[in-house]
Amino acid sequence: MIKVQNISKTYQDVDRQVTVFKDLSFDLNAGETVALMGQSGSGKSTLLHLLGGFDTVSSGDIIVNDANITTMNDNQLSLFRRNQLGMIFQQYNIIPSLTALDNITFVRRLIGLPAVDEDTEQLIDVLGLRDRLDHYPAQLSGGEQQRVATARALAAKPSMILADEPTGNLDEETAAQVMELLVKAVELNAVTLLLVTHSQTTANYLQSTWRLKKGVLHC
Amino acid sequence: MLKPSLLQRVLLIWWTLFGHYRKHPAQGLFLLLGLSLGVAILLGTLIVSSVAKTSFTNAQQIVGGSVIATIQPVNGKRNLPQSTYTSLRRNGFTNLIPMAEGRLKLKDGGFISLQGIDAFALAHSTSGDNATQTQGIGGFGQADFSMLAFSFPPYQTLISKSQAKQRNLKDGDILTLANGKTLPAIKVVSDSLGTGYSLMCDLACAQQMLSLPGHLTSIAVTKQPDDVEQLKALLSEDTELRFPSKTAQNAALSDAFFLNLTAVSFLAFLVGCFIAFNAVRFSVRQRLNMVQQLRLVGVTFGEIAMALMIELLSWALLASFIGCLLGWLIASALLPDVGLTLVRLFQGQNPLFIEQMTHWWPLALMVALTATLIATAQPFWQLAKEQPLQSRQIAQSKSQMGYAGIALLALGGLLTLMPHSQSLGFVIAACWFIGGAMLVPATLVYLYGVLANNKRLVNYPKLQWVVTDGKQNHGRFSVAMMAFTVAISAGIAVTTMVSSFRVALEDYLEQALAEDLYLQPDIEQVIDIKAFLDQRQDVALAYRYFYTSGAISTTSKIDNSVKGLVRGVTDHQLRHDSISLEKQVDNLWPRFHMGEGILINQTLAFQQQLKPGDKLSIKAKARWIEVEVLGIYYSYGSTFSAFSMDQNWLKILWPAVNTVEIGVFLNDGQSIEPLLNTLQDRFKVQSHQSIKPQEMKKIALTLFEQTFMVTQVMILFTLLIAAIGIYCACYAAELDKQRQLTLLKVLGVNNREIAGLSMLQLCFNAIVASLIALPLGIIIAWASVHIVLQYSFGWHFAIQIEASTLSIIIISAVMVALLSGLLPLYQLSRKTVINAFREAV
Ligand SMILES: Nc1ncnc2c1ncn2[C@@H]1O[C@H](COP(=O)(O)OP(=O)(O)O)[C@@H](O)[C@H]1O
Ligand SMILES: [Mg+2]
């Protein structure tokens, strides 16, 4: 359960202020999957970053499973990320020095879970990464890297996944593949998913579509 | 619209590229700092070593300097008529300085030695051929004519700074003698002028004070006379030309020291180049992206190259100016005593130094520009030729570099087997230096690889990251770690060389000036004086020093004999103690005095390839006598072959040898003055017939001490610059790591853990690099001393490894490296993940 209450985000530049949005509020229930759409520059990424605690709000509260992440210190925020959050970026952002498998299982191992359990095995198969486990990111194609990033986001069984244009760099076919796998895995574990996309096709995989326009969220 | 000219386009591109520094001013600062410090350290060392050289040379003047011989009265005479001097001059012997010296009793009961010198002769005798190098008596060089003021009204009495301090005298003081006469006003002069422990005044004044009108006590000869025999022939039978036997002068020793200093400056130069190279490399690495973008929008290679050229030249120029200024300031801060303070400089009180500076500036600028170009050209070239869509992964060839490193190290090792020469020594040192540095990245990658293969690592994901990241992203820190290695090994090599040299110098003085008193009385008095000394309670040992010249040959080729100096050694602990042995057989001294063998000096050992236990023959009484080499003693730069044998045996083998030289050791705590006074009263021993080695040693050491202090500070400064270099290098590498660390942060690793991981990696790198740098520094010092020195001068000194100093160097280097990681980590912890991602390069 994610409760967003009156959040504002203003970037303070040297000579000017950019207010991305003001007094934004919404709830996101456990297991809900939402596509977030909107023009480039409308603040979609910013919103995602705030929800993941990667950026700080100018005002307002974000309450994830009864904990207010806007007031957390670094240590609490880290625990929140490793235990509850799965993040998928447009640029994959997987650790280049680790193999696909080590990347996928990294957060699990960080938490102290066994590197691989049955679900992980299933995830690997579902995402079609079985043959690629020993490969390093540099040896993988863009689609494969994105699937590794997706597997990593899911492997530690987070309660929510934030995905910023995960298919933006992929061709239609691969994009469809990744989306199917993602949605399947998310539904399997009742994970909350907020996914930014420009593609209506991609949005159609999810339960609902929200639009961000001039700082206002149209649910 | 007008088409922009090439220049306009290039300037636009330059401005775009330069935008990087506007965004990251710290990097611009480090780049400039790296370059300037590189230039400054080289320049500083050059200036210091040149000034130190002058002061070092001066330090040697006190006990002889360029006075190569003296003309002295003999046959019981205490002085010689001044006409001897004038007639010698008339016969074309111009390099002579008439002197009147003696001891005078002061009103307060103390004694002073007064040296009267003819300033005119002094000026003339030192204005010989290579005037800048030839230092006259008392160290007066050509540029110091102003100092000759003591010889003109109002007259002055010169006293060295340290003597003045000891006697509590200052400028303008007037000394009154026991007989009521007064000396001209005191003028305190720098120790490096070399007045030694005597006070110096005009000849006529000294003659008057010492009641020697028209007479001299000696004439100093400052240059080898063309015809010694003719000179001797001109002397009356009451005068004699004598070459001194007891001095602290040792040209080879100071040559060796300057070779050392040269090595210091070149090591410093290397460190500087590495710092600069590293700084430039990072600024380039971080702009590859920007260049790619520019190339994508159609900017040509030529335009980028030109834009970079402008940047390069501006950095080079700026850095060379700052570097020159810094180097100069450093040197002047270090050498206030040698006449380098800016105040003095501007007041023009030191023409000698200004002359030197005008000589340095153009050279400095040239060196600075060259160094900057070397350091910047390669990375900029790489940047300029960047292809539009070329993979950003810089080709990794670390193992190749490792093999090249091993090959260079091995090559250096093989070269040691070659017939040695000075240049070979430098080549070997360079091979090891570069090879060792090249080995570092490969070693790190190898070690990380070994660790990464450990299966259990999977259970420790954070450690796994440290290891795998270390293995994969070595490109980030390899140059930094090479710079680190170069800096530490240079520091270790320099420290080791200089401290070893210092020990050698002290040993040399200890050996050359072991006695408390050294006498050269007239021949008729020797026996009486020796007998008198033997009876005195305060004398521990008085020995007559016999020496002659002999021939030796290795048994295999009798006909191949070498001439050498043979010294007698009396059987006494004090005599044994004053011989520093490099190698020796067991039970040396009993065997030595039984006449079983001899001690040879390093020069002889080196020439004949002899070691203890070898047999050789000495020629005496027209036959060859076989003896064993019982030991090898340090020759401290003497290029003469020499050997020592039991004194009694020497007298048996060369019965005709006689000597006037007597060495005297006093018992502990005994003062020399009573003995000297008695000798003067009873045997009329004159001041020039007695030498007080301890006093000579003390003065020599004070002067060497100054030079050493400067050198020491210079080394500290080298280390400091190395530390700043290490900091800059590691800082840049750490910035490069930010993206990887941010990734960890996204996955839920907290700031404290990230700091720990980052530090662990940095610490591992630094420790591995230090472990390579330590032996590297030591073998480079070894190569410099044992090959370069040995083959330049035919001798070497023992390498002193000061474990404590070396560990301090290493520990502080690792600390500095760790420190360099702190700021980037702190900055990272303050940033939101998103900002860290945006700013990560
Ligand atoms: N660090 C920043 N400083 C100033 N403005 C920023 C910063 N980051 C984003 N913005 C601005 O905030 C707005 C929203 O950006 P973003 O969330 O990335 O948009 P989207 O992801 O919807 O394309 C944009 O106008 C952008 O210019
Ligand atoms: Mg976006």
Side-chain angles (χ1 to χ4, degrees):
Chain A
M1 174 78 178
I2 302 165
K3 270 183 169 334
V4 173
Q5 295 168 344
N6 304 319
I7 57 164
S8 305
K9 179 65 186 178
T10 304
Y11 286 109
Q12 183 69 58
D13 265 7
V14 193
D15 46 355
R16 67 198 172 104
Q17 276 193 349
V18 180
T19 301
V20 186
F21 37 68
K22 217 172 153 185
D23 288 336
L24 207 66
S25 299
F26 61 85
D27 287 352
L28 200 57
N29 293 319
E32 214 180 325
T33 62
V34 174
L36 183 60
M37 298 184 77
Q39 275 188 343
S40 172
S42 57
K44 306 179 295 291
S45 296
T46 306
L47 181 59
L48 239 55
H49 296 155
L50 292 176
L51 291 179
F54 299 127
D55 207 345
T56 48
V57 294
S58 305
S59 66
D61 296 304
I62 299 169
I63 292 146
V64 180
N65 295 337
D66 301 327
N68 189 343
I69 67 165
T70 59
T71 57
M72 283 181 175
N73 65 20
D74 168 66
N75 199 25
Q76 293 165 324
L77 215 48
S78 295
L79 285 175
F80 158 72
R81 282 184 203 133
R82 73 168 82 153
N83 290 321
Q84 309 210 27
L85 183 70
M87 181 81 203
I88 309 171
F89 295 93
Q90 188 175 3
Q91 267 83 27
Y92 327 134
N93 283 333
I94 50 183
I95 299 173
S97 63
L98 296 180
T99 61
L101 180 66
D102 286 339
N103 259 297
I104 294 169
T105 60
F106 191 84
V107 182
R108 289 183 60 85
R109 292 182 284 137
L110 209 54
I111 297 170
L113 297 172
V116 184
D117 64 359
E118 262 177 50
D119 294 339
T120 323
E121 298 282 6
Q122 202 190 345
L123 190 65
I124 289 166
D125 286 329
V126 168
L127 285 166
L129 290 167
R130 182 62 65 195
D131 302 335
R132 295 278 177 267
L133 292 180
D134 288 338
H135 289 51
Y136 286 92
Q139 300 166 315
L140 298 174
S141 75
E144 285 165 340
Q145 288 191 54
Q146 193 57 297
R147 278 184 275 157
V148 170
T150 309
R152 182 182 65 187
L154 287 160
K157 306 201 173 120
S159 64
M160 84 168 164
I161 287 182
L162 302 171
D164 196 348
E165 300 184 44
T167 57
N169 283 343
L170 304 178
D171 62 88
E172 254 173 66
E173 206 171 319
T174 318
Q177 237 178 332
V178 170
M179 278 314 294
E180 261 167 49
L181 299 171
L182 177 64
V183 169
K184 202 161 147 193
V186 162
E187 279 169 1
L188 210 68
N189 297 299
V191 181
T192 314
L193 173 66
L194 187 58
L195 182 144
V196 171
T197 182
H198 285 294
S199 142
Q200 192 56 55
T201 329
T202 303
N204 288 341
Y205 283 94
L206 306 184
Q207 294 164 2
S208 47
T209 299
W210 296 352
R211 279 174 205 285
L212 193 56
K213 210 179 207 171
K214 298 203 171 114
V216 183
L217 192 64
H218 302 273
C219 294
Chain B
M1 203 180 93
L2 276 174
K3 204 167 166 261
S5 71
L6 177 66
L7 183 67
Q8 282 172 318
R9 270 184 320 212
V10 167
L11 281 178
L12 179 71
I13 295 162
W14 170 74
W15 186 243
T16 314
L17 285 173
F18 192 77
H20 178 78
Y21 298 110
R22 275 181 280 133
K23 213 167 115 203
H24 303 282
Q27 271 181 45
L29 188 75
F30 276 164
L31 177 71
L32 197 59
L33 198 66
L35 288 173
S36 316
L37 286 181
V39 173
I41 190 170
L42 174 69
L43 213 72
T45 330
L46 284 177
I47 296 177
V48 166
S49 62
S50 113
V51 178
K53 186 169 189 159
T54 318
S55 107
F56 196 91
T57 318
N58 287 341
Q60 299 188 329
Q61 304 302 319
I62 30 155
V63 250
S66 59
V67 176
I68 56 151
T70 47
I71 296 165
Q72 293 175 350
V74 287
N75 299 337
K77 293 281 189 311
R78 301 191 60 174
N79 47 56
L80 54 140
Q82 197 158 346
S83 56
T84 310
Y85 168 69
T86 28
S87 84
L88 282 170
R89 273 194 73 91
R90 233 177 284 123
N91 281 283
F93 295 98
T94 50
N95 292 291
L96 303 174
I97 302 171
M99 304 193 353
E101 47 185 328
R103 277 155 53 87
L104 289 169
K105 196 167 182 184
L106 295 174
K107 207 173 82 183
D108 63 12
F111 282 91
I112 51 158
S113 358
L114 185 70
Q115 196 177 36
I117 286 183
D118 182 29
F120 195 69
L122 182 62
H124 274 270
S125 75
T126 55
S127 59
D129 21 79
N130 49 349
T132 41
Q133 277 188 6
T134 314
Q135 298 278 328
I137 194 161
F140 284 105
Q142 240 210 331
D144 289 312
F145 285 145
S146 61
M147 295 308 299
L148 299 178
F150 76 93
S151 244
F152 301 95
Y155 296 96
Q156 291 168 341
T157 304
L158 303 186
I159 184 167
S160 74
K161 206 168 162 185
S162 47
Q163 280 291 307
K165 205 168 155 196
Q166 210 170 321
R167 292 180 178 273
N168 211 4
L169 290 172
K170 57 182 189 310
D171 280 351
D173 284 356
I174 306 279
L175 283 175
T176 310
L177 302 179
N179 61 12
K181 289 183 190 170
T182 54
L183 289 174
I186 287 288
K187 164 90 179 147
V188 180
V189 295
S190 156
D191 278 6
S192 60
L193 279 176
T195 51
Y197 51 90
S198 292
L199 279 65
M200 192 185 280
C201 67
D202 183 56
L203 179 66
C205 160
Q207 284 171 326
Q208 195 194 338
M209 294 296 158
L210 297 163
S211 312
L212 284 171
H215 282 79
L216 307 171
T217 52
S218 64
I219 301 169
V221 183
T222 57
K223 197 180 159 205
Q224 181 75 33
D226 293 332
D227 189 346
V228 178
E229 291 313 314
Q230 194 206 340
L231 191 149
K232 278 184 175 166
L234 283 168
L235 298 177
S236 73
E237 58 183 32
D238 287 339
T239 41
E240 188 183 275
L241 179 67
R242 228 183 230 181
F243 291 89
S245 62
K246 207 66 173 172
T247 71
Q249 187 197 10
N250 188 332
L253 204 59
S254 54
D255 284 348
F257 186 73
F258 292 114
L259 199 70
N260 248 340
L261 274 180
T262 313
V264 173
S265 53
F266 280 103
L267 287 181
F269 179 66
L270 255 169
V271 174
C273 277
F274 249 91
I275 295 172
F277 179 79
N278 186 65
V280 172
R281 191 176 162 281
F282 271 100
S283 95
V284 165
R285 225 177 112 83
Q286 291 167 350
R287 281 185 296 169
L288 284 181
N289 219 346
M290 201 188 278
V291 170
Q292 262 183 7
Q293 300 300 321
L294 288 171
R295 294 280 275 146
L296 275 175
V297 298
V299 176
T300 67
F301 170 75
E303 287 165 344
I304 288 182
M306 264 187 278
L308 288 174
M309 215 52 175
I310 298 177
E311 178 177 326
L312 181 144
L313 283 178
S314 10
W315 281 127
L317 265 169
L318 195 58
S320 65
F321 281 118
I322 297 177
C324 281
L325 194 68
L326 273 179
W328 188 21
L329 285 174
I330 289 155
S332 47
L334 284 182
L335 297 167
D337 227 47
V338 207
L340 195 72
T341 57
L342 289 173
V343 180
R344 271 207 243 172
L345 205 70
F346 289 134
Q347 287 177 354
Q349 284 190 7
N350 202 327
L352 180 70
F353 188 72
I354 286 181
E355 200 176 292
Q356 279 184 355
M357 268 324 284
T358 49
H359 161 74
W360 282 119
W361 268 100
L363 180 80
L365 225 81
M366 214 183 65
V367 168
L369 278 168
T370 319
T372 318
L373 283 172
I374 292 172
T376 50
Q378 193 268 337
F380 273 133
W381 177 252
Q382 188 192 345
L383 186 49
K385 69 173 205 251
E386 181 80 356
Q387 292 299 308
L389 273 179
Q390 184 181 293
S391 154
R392 269 230 278 145
Q393 198 73 18
I394 294 168
Q396 309 286 2
S397 52
K398 283 292 137 10
S399 56
Q400 271 171 21
M401 193 152 117
Y403 291 131
I406 291 174
L408 270 178
L409 287 176
L411 178 69
L414 278 179
L415 286 178
T416 58
L417 303 176
M418 295 243 309
H420 291 163
S421 68
Q422 181 178 327
S423 47
L424 186 80
F426 279 123
V427 171
I428 290 171
C431 276
W432 283 344
F433 208 59
I434 298 166
M438 281 168 77
L439 204 57
V440 172
T443 307
L444 280 169
V445 170
Y446 173 78
L447 289 177
Y448 278 125
V450 169
L451 290 173
N453 283 339
N454 189 331
K455 289 279 172 283
R456 292 222 306 280
L457 208 56
V458 170
N459 301 326
Y460 306 96
K462 286 175 277 185
L463 263 187
Q464 186 191 29
W465 176 85
V466 170
V467 170
T468 57
D469 180 77
K471 182 182 166 203
Q472 200 186 47
N473 297 329
H474 50 79
R476 185 176 61 212
F477 55 72
S478 61
V479 173
M481 284 303 134
M482 278 166 79
F484 181 89
T485 310
V486 166
I488 311 182
S489 50
I492 288 174
V494 165
T495 316
T496 305
M497 270 186 326
V498 172
S499 61
S500 306
F501 182 79
R502 187 198 182 101
V503 171
L505 176 79
E506 281 165 3
D507 286 351
Y508 165 72
L509 290 174
E510 203 58 50
Q511 174 175 311
L513 303 168
E515 299 84 1
D516 293 293
L517 184 63
Y518 205 78
L519 298 168
Q520 290 171 294
D522 299 330
I523 193 90
E524 322 77 69
Q525 293 184 304
V526 175
I527 307 283
D528 292 346
I529 290 180
K530 167 81 162 79
F532 166 76
L533 289 169
D534 283 343
Q535 281 168 8
R536 288 207 38 130
Q537 294 296 312
D538 51 355
V539 172
L541 168 69
Y543 72 93
R544 293 185 68 194
Y545 173 44
F546 284 87
Y547 55 90
T548 179
S549 132
I552 64 141
S553 171
T554 45
T555 28
S556 51
K557 338 166 209 155
I558 283 277
D559 46 320
N560 244 346
S561 69
V562 223
K563 280 227 160 188
L565 184 73
V566 197
R567 296 188 167 112
V569 178
T570 45
D571 190 357
H572 195 283
Q573 186 63 39
L574 284 165
R575 285 290 285 147
H576 298 166
D577 288 346
S578 59
I579 296 173
S580 346
L581 291 158
E582 186 199 351
K583 294 175 189 149
Q584 64 188 88
V585 297
D586 291 338
N587 199 22
L588 166 69
W589 294 113
R591 296 187 58 196
F592 179 81
H593 292 293
M594 298 262 291
E596 285 181 28
I598 59 172
L599 296 173
I600 61 176
N601 75 350
Q602 276 178 325
T603 316
L604 189 57
F606 169 62
Q607 270 174 12
Q608 300 293 315
Q609 296 297 315
L610 290 167
K611 56 182 190 308
D614 286 352
K615 298 272 189 294
L616 56 76
S617 303
I618 43 182
K619 191 173 192 178
K621 291 182 165 173
R623 62 190 174 90
W624 290 96
I625 301 163
E626 184 171 292
V627 292
E628 190 182 329
V629 176
L630 297 178
I632 298 168
Y633 58 91
Y634 287 100
S635 48
Y636 299 108
S638 158
T639 48
F640 293 108
S641 296
F643 56 99
S644 302
M645 60 181 2
D646 175 63
Q647 181 136 308
N648 293 324
W649 193 28
L650 183 146
K651 285 196 279 188
I652 293 167
L653 294 181
W654 286 275
V657 169
N658 202 351
T659 185
V660 294
E661 297 182 27
I662 302 175
V664 183
F665 289 95
L666 293 185
N667 282 317
D668 284 348
Q670 295 292 336
S671 139
I672 197 157
E673 294 304 327
L675 175 63
L676 206 56
N677 286 338
T678 319
L679 283 169
Q680 280 180 342
D681 289 349
R682 203 162 150 175
F683 295 97
K684 305 283 175 270
V685 172
Q686 298 169 46
S687 62
H688 69 263
Q689 290 180 316
S690 69
I691 293 168
K692 291 185 252 177
Q694 296 311 312
E695 220 162 302
M696 280 164 66
K697 191 157 81 186
K698 219 161 72 195
I699 294 165
L701 274 179
T702 351
L703 290 168
F704 286 131
E705 198 61 40
Q706 277 181 359
T707 312
F708 273 124
M709 221 182 63
V710 168
T711 319
Q712 216 80 42
V713 176
M714 211 54 221
I715 289 169
L716 267 181
F717 188 72
T718 311
L719 293 179
L720 187 75
I721 295 229
I724 295 174
I726 289 168
Y727 185 89
C728 292
C730 294
Y731 177 81
E734 289 306 291
L735 278 188
D736 222 27
K737 202 154 94 181
Q738 296 236 331
R739 184 175 184 84
Q740 299 305 318
L741 295 177
T742 309
L743 274 180
L744 291 181
K745 216 167 159 178
V746 167
L747 296 178
V749 181
N750 68 34
N751 284 330
R752 221 171 345 114
E753 290 168 317
I754 284 177
L757 298 179
S758 182
M759 282 294 169
L760 186 65
Q761 201 181 49
L762 190 53
C763 191
F764 182 78
N765 292 349
I767 287 174
V768 170
S770 324
L771 288 181
I772 294 177
L774 178 66
L776 198 63
I778 293 174
I779 61 167
I780 289 166
W782 181 88
S784 312
V785 169
H786 280 255
I787 300 173
V788 178
L789 255 192
Q790 174 84 66
Y791 293 85
S792 306
F793 307 114
W795 70 288
H796 66 262
F797 46 77
I799 285 282
Q800 309 285 328
I801 296 175
E802 291 178 359
S804 56
T805 319
L806 297 193
S807 10
I808 289 173
I809 292 178
I810 287 200
I811 290 170
S812 34
V814 173
M815 297 304 276
V816 170
L818 290 183
L819 218 61
S820 71
L822 286 181
L823 184 63
L825 281 173
Y826 174 74
Q827 288 171 339
L828 181 65
S829 76
R830 295 294 302 263
K831 278 182 215 159
T832 63
V833 171
I834 281 318
N835 283 335
F837 259 135
R838 279 220 182 85
E839 282 158 32
V841 275

